[in-house]
């Protein structure tokens, strides 16, 4: 049973489109995250949600909007996709934000053409 | 702000060698520090978590140390094997909100 699952695994889309990536965790964690890993493999925090409340938003364009219907799900919606959005997006979850039980999904490789 | 730096960026060693990966962090007010492994095209797998009250943590051939006062951690891999080839990432908490990652060390162990 996958602990943190993301869909889709691969996403190829044209510039200007709107797309969503879904994430679900079955670990009972209360905090979920979205990270972006660029072509240089640097992993950068985008959003963190604790019990459905946004607690961090690192200088991410407002074209990106996280949505959390409940504490087991954190989806990422991206409007007006740009070439620079191409990257691998990772969802993760943990008990609070201080590292305990940090578990990653397998990633979504987004390619904007 | 928590900034995490890893040295070296890449490392290539022959099988059987012992090796050390280095990590430094700027905010020493941390509860713990964590080392992850990432295989190509895969997600991250947690290897070791060192509590702030600990000096080191061991798992099999891996040993991680933590020196909060100097803002440094090392990951020691003994008797390296080709299966150890991967990218190793160091992560430290920031404001108890999330983990901040270094850019990683890409390790290649040659048979």
């Amino acid at each position: 049973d996958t602990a943190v699952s993301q869909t889709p695994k691969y996403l190829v889309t044209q510039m200007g489109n709107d797309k969503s990536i879904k994430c679900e965790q079955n670990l009972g964690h209360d905090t979920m995250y979205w990270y972006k890993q660029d072509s240089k493999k640097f992993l950068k925090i985008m959003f963190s949600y604790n019990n459905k409340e946004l607690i961090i938003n690192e200088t991410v364009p407002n074209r990106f909007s996280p949505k959390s219907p409940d504490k087991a799900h954190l989806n990422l919606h991206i409007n007006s996709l740009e070439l620079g959005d191409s990257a691998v997006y990772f969802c993760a979850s943990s008990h609070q934000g201080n590292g305990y039980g940090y578990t990653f999904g397998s990633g979504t490789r987004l390619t904007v053409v | 702000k928590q900034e995490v730096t890893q040295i070296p960026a890449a490392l290539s060693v022959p099988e059987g060698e012992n090796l050390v990966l280095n990590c430094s962090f700027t905010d020493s007010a941390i509860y713990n520090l964590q080392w992850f492994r990432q295989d190509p095209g895969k997600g991250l797998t947690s290897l070791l978590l060192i509590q702030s009250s600990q000096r080191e943590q061991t798992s099999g051939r891996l040993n991680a140390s933590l020196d909060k006062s100097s803002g440094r951690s090392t990951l020691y891999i003994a008797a390296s094997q080709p299966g150890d080839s991967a990218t190793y990432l160091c992560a430290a908490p920031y404001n108890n909100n999330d983990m901040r990652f270094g850019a990683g060390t890409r390790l290649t162990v040659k048979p």
Side-chain angles (χ1 to χ4, degrees):
Chain A
D1 221 10
T2 304
V4 180
S5 59
Q6 295 179 228
T7 55
K9 190 172 176 65
Y10 300 97
L11 183 56
V12 181
T13 187
Q14 291 185 326
M15 281 176 53
N17 283 353
D18 302 338
K19 291 293 179 184
S20 292
I21 306 172
K22 295 185 177 181
C23 179
E24 176 181 2
Q25 56 95 3
N26 61 6
L27 298 167
H29 288 162
D30 53 18
T31 307
M32 295 184 71
Y33 316 84
W34 278 106
Y35 283 86
K36 178 180 180 180
Q37 189 170 46
D38 60 26
S39 57
K40 296 183 179 179
K41 306 300 183 186
F42 190 62
L43 200 63
K44 187 174 181 181
I45 183 73
M46 298 176 71
F47 299 105
S48 173
Y49 254 74
N50 180 277
N51 285 326
K52 300 200 300 179
E53 290 188 27
L54 180 67
I55 58 173
I56 186 171
N57 181 347
E58 289 282 309
T59 60
V60 174
N62 57 16
R63 298 182 295 104
F64 290 79
S65 54
K67 290 186 174 19
S68 182
D70 55 62
K71 75 173 189 177
H73 296 83
L74 181 62
N75 303 324
L76 182 65
H77 188 76
I78 315 169
N79 289 327
S80 304
L81 278 155
E82 301 177 356
L83 293 176
D85 297 332
S86 296
V88 181
Y89 292 84
F90 285 100
C91 176
S93 70
S94 76
H95 289 297
Q96 302 179 348
N98 55 15
Y100 295 100
Y102 232 81
T103 305
F104 278 82
S106 56
T108 296
R109 181 174 295 277
L110 171 65
T111 303
V112 183
V113 297
Chain B
K1 185 178 178 181
Q2 180 70 277
E3 294 186 1
V4 181
T5 305
Q6 291 187 244
I7 296 172
L11 182 62
S12 181
V13 300
E15 182 177 2
E17 269 202 13
N18 302 326
L19 57 100
V20 175
L21 308 182
N22 297 291
C23 171
S24 61
F25 48 94
T26 55
D27 182 358
S28 60
I30 57 173
Y31 291 93
N32 57 63
L33 184 132
Q34 202 158 355
W35 284 90
F36 291 82
R37 168 181 173 145
Q38 185 177 26
D39 292 286
K42 305 285 187 183
L44 281 71
T45 301
S46 178
L47 295 173
L48 289 165
L49 184 150
I50 316 172
Q51 310 270 15
S52 61
S53 58
Q54 298 175 318
R55 298 279 301 183
E56 61 180 65
Q57 190 70 250
T58 298
S59 175
R61 294 181 294 105
L62 304 181
N63 176 278
S65 68
L66 175 62
D67 184 346
K68 281 183 59 177
S69 61
S70 66
R72 296 178 186 276
S73 175
T74 62
L75 179 67
Y76 175 82
I77 302 178
S80 59
Q81 302 171 357
D84 295 331
S85 297
T87 297
Y88 291 81
L89 295 126
C90 168
Y94 174 59
N95 277 349
N96 203 32
N97 285 331
D98 64 272
M99 299 290 282
R100 299 297 165 102
F101 286 80
T105 294
R106 189 173 66 256
L107 174 65
T108 303
V109 181
K110 295 177 285 188

